[in-house]
Amino acid sequence: MNPDIERVLVTEAEIAQSVKKLGQEISQDYQGRKPLVIGILKGSVIFMSDLVRQMSVDLELDFMAVSSYGASTESSGVVKIIKDLDRVVEGRDLIIVEDIVDTGRTLAYLKQLLANRNAASIKIVALLNKESRREVAIQADYIGFEIDDLFVVGYGMDYSDQYRGLPYIGVLKEDVYK
Ligand code: IMP
């Protein structure tokens, strides 16, 4: 195991099982439609690539990049668009794929932004949910795992752009970021 990881919170096998279930559930809900699946860079990329391979409906992919924590583990509360979508979203069924919902600020902002562009529908799928940290009233429609107030890395999630490639979700040792 990576020496900066205190413990594994969600194993590779548990992730795979959850992603499969999410893919099946979403596919059932979107039968006969062609959703635009929107990945929020960079944290959701690994989750998104596994998720869409568990989905059986026709879909398109697009990406957005927003400002994140930088090298800190606390949200600044300011959301800035660094890369916008390539596709027009008007009239489309959107599925936003996020790695983790923490304060909820990022998703609240993005959902409003996309709603203003007249999407037909907007749903959110999040691999992880930190309910106890929520500052803005927003809920993901599909959630992989509820987790406690811990800073986690791996499976796409980072601290200072590191650890994204770990195949599991781990709790980062506090002395790495304190
Ligand atoms: P929110 O706007 O506070 O909900 O923050 C959401 C974003 O913060 C996520 O998409 C992640 O990029 C990042 N984030 C929140 N918690 C963690 C964590 O525990 N590990 C890594 N990134 C996190």
Side-chain angles (χ1 to χ4, degrees), residues 69 75 98-100 102-106 130 150-152 158:
Y69 293 170
S75 176
E98 183 60 303
D99 50 357
I100 180 163
D102 188 31
T103 65
R105 289 181 189 281
T106 309
K130 280 193 214 171
L150 299 162
F151 195 80
V152 294
D158 74 310

Side-chain angles (χ1 to χ4, degrees), residues 40-44 66-69 73-75 77 79 98-108 128 130 133-135 138 147 150-154 157-159 164:
I40 310 304
L41 298 170
K42 307 171 193 168
S44 73
V66 296
S67 61
S68 67
Y69 293 170
T73 59
E74 291 295 319
S75 176
V79 181
E98 183 60 303
D99 50 357
I100 180 163
V101 193
D102 188 31
T103 65
R105 289 181 189 281
T106 309
L107 277 177
L128 303 178
K130 280 193 214 171
R133 293 259 310 163
R134 198 72 88 255
E135 290 172 13
I138 186 133
I147 67 164
L150 299 162
F151 195 80
V152 294
V153 294
M157 287 168 284
D158 74 310
Y159 170 67
R164 292 193 197 274

Side-chain angles (χ1 to χ4, degrees), residues 33-175:
R33 292 192 277 168
K34 190 177 184 179
L36 182 63
V37 181
I38 299 173
I40 310 304
L41 298 170
K42 307 171 193 168
S44 73
V45 162
I46 293 174
F47 173 43
M48 183 191 199
S49 67
D50 282 347
L51 181 68
V52 295
R53 283 180 289 174
Q54 298 298 332
M55 287 172 62
S56 52
V57 290
D58 283 346
L59 53 85
E60 288 174 9
L61 300 183
D62 207 341
F63 296 93
M64 267 185 115
V66 296
S67 61
S68 67
Y69 293 170
S72 154
T73 59
E74 291 295 319
S75 176
S76 63
V78 179
V79 181
K80 198 173 101 194
I81 296 185
I82 292 156
K83 184 220 170 286
D84 206 338
L85 298 172
D86 296 331
R87 301 273 174 180
V88 173
V89 303
E90 187 172 353
R92 298 294 306 264
D93 293 310
L94 309 183
I95 302 176
I96 303 175
V97 182
E98 183 60 303
D99 50 357
I100 180 163
V101 193
D102 188 31
T103 65
R105 289 181 189 281
T106 309
L107 277 177
Y109 176 83
L110 284 177
K111 197 172 178 183
Q112 188 57 54
L113 179 95
L114 297 173
N116 291 346
R117 294 181 186 178
N118 299 321
S121 69
I122 306 174
K123 291 222 169 169
I124 296 166
V125 47
L127 181 64
L128 303 178
N129 185 40
K130 280 193 214 171
E131 192 66 43
S132 65
R133 293 259 310 163
R134 198 72 88 255
E135 290 172 13
V136 181
I138 186 133
Q139 274 306 332
D141 302 279
Y142 307 94
I143 293 169
F145 301 93
E146 296 284 349
I147 67 164
D148 292 334
D149 182 7
L150 299 162
F151 195 80
V152 294
V153 294
Y155 197 67
M157 287 168 284
D158 74 310
Y159 170 67
S160 208
D161 247 337
Q162 291 184 76
Y163 314 107
R164 292 193 197 274
L166 299 178
Y168 52 83
I169 296 165
V171 180
L172 195 59
K173 281 183 184 160
E174 245 183 45
D175 58 0

